[in-house]
Amino acid sequence: MPVREGAHVRISLYVPNYATAKMVVADAADMGARPQDLRPGKDAGTIVATGEFDDIPEGMAFLIAKSHYVSTEAAYGVIGRAMEILERHGRTPRAALPAAARDPLVDIAAVLGDHAKMTTRDVLHGLVEHDRRFYGSWTFRNLADLMRAHDIEYGKGLGGQTLVVADRIADAITERANRGDSTE
């Protein structure tokens, strides 16, 4: 049984459409609750609530209320105070380990491995498998921008497929090293 089936109080911020509103506020969406009509940004902190609330007038299925919106700047202040409290009590918050620096050219060479060439789709897939956190949002445009920045031309395969050629990647890495450039 999904958790929403047992929820006695349901609260929704802005949602994009009726179907999502129905998932969040259930039958109240059929009785006039319209969190999809809240304006992103302008109605920040405004909620549509349904369920076991004392404040919902008799015969009404939902309540619209203004809660508190915490801006990014204010959130940093809250986090800073929380960190100070932890430190005062002898607890040292551990920062997440920084993501390892990535060198996309070297990573592409690793993805290509022993292959002389590979389709751009397969290279992107391989990059994501190589480091999902870094390359997970990469698109063909990111790959094209990288290739253009290093003057690397694509190859063409059967049916006009765009190919990344291992020798061209290796040449770009060598050329960059000869110029003394750092990684991306």
Side-chain angles (χ1 to χ4, degrees):
M1 176 167 74
V3 72
R4 69 187 175 105
E5 298 305 322
H8 299 285
V9 174
R10 294 167 182 239
I11 297 174
S12 178
L13 297 166
Y14 165 78
V15 293
N17 54 44
Y18 168 79
T20 308
K22 179 79 172 169
M23 284 190 283
V24 178
V25 295
D27 292 337
D30 297 328
M31 296 179 226
R34 298 182 55 84
Q36 68 270 26
D37 287 348
L38 294 173
R39 299 163 299 178
K42 240 182 179 169
D43 291 326
T46 302
I47 60 172
V48 176
T50 186
E52 297 178 11
F53 282 99
D54 291 336
D55 296 345
I56 295 180
E58 188 67 35
M60 294 290 295
F62 63 95
L63 172 73
I64 297 175
K66 183 77 171 168
S67 64
H68 186 72
Y69 172 72
V70 178
S71 69
T72 301
E73 294 81 26
Y76 284 129
V78 171
I79 292 167
R81 287 190 301 280
M83 302 293 265
E84 288 172 12
I85 291 168
L86 287 172
E87 288 173 7
R88 263 197 322 260
H89 292 281
R91 297 186 62 196
T92 305
R94 291 183 291 159
L97 295 174
R102 300 273 19 130
D103 182 342
L105 289 179
V106 171
D107 291 344
I108 290 171
V111 167
L112 286 164
D114 294 334
H115 299 280
K117 51 189 131 189
M118 191 179 283
T119 65
T120 54
R121 179 177 307 281
D122 289 339
V123 168
L124 280 174
H125 179 73
L127 287 171
V128 170
E129 297 231 340
H130 190 69
D131 187 338
R132 185 169 306 279
R133 285 188 344 183
F134 189 84
Y135 295 110
S137 63
W138 269 45
T139 64
F140 290 108
R141 163 114 27 224
N142 297 102
L143 186 58
D145 290 346
L146 176 73
M147 301 287 275
R148 191 177 312 106
H150 293 281
D151 295 322
I152 303 169
E153 292 183 21
Y154 288 109
K156 288 290 183 183
L158 296 174
Q161 288 183 317
T162 307
L163 303 174
V164 177
V165 181
D167 288 344
R168 294 177 185 167
I169 298 296
D171 290 346
I173 292 170
T174 302
E175 184 177 318
R176 183 182 65 191
N178 289 341
R179 285 193 317 258
D181 292 351
S182 62
T183 60
E184 305 306 304

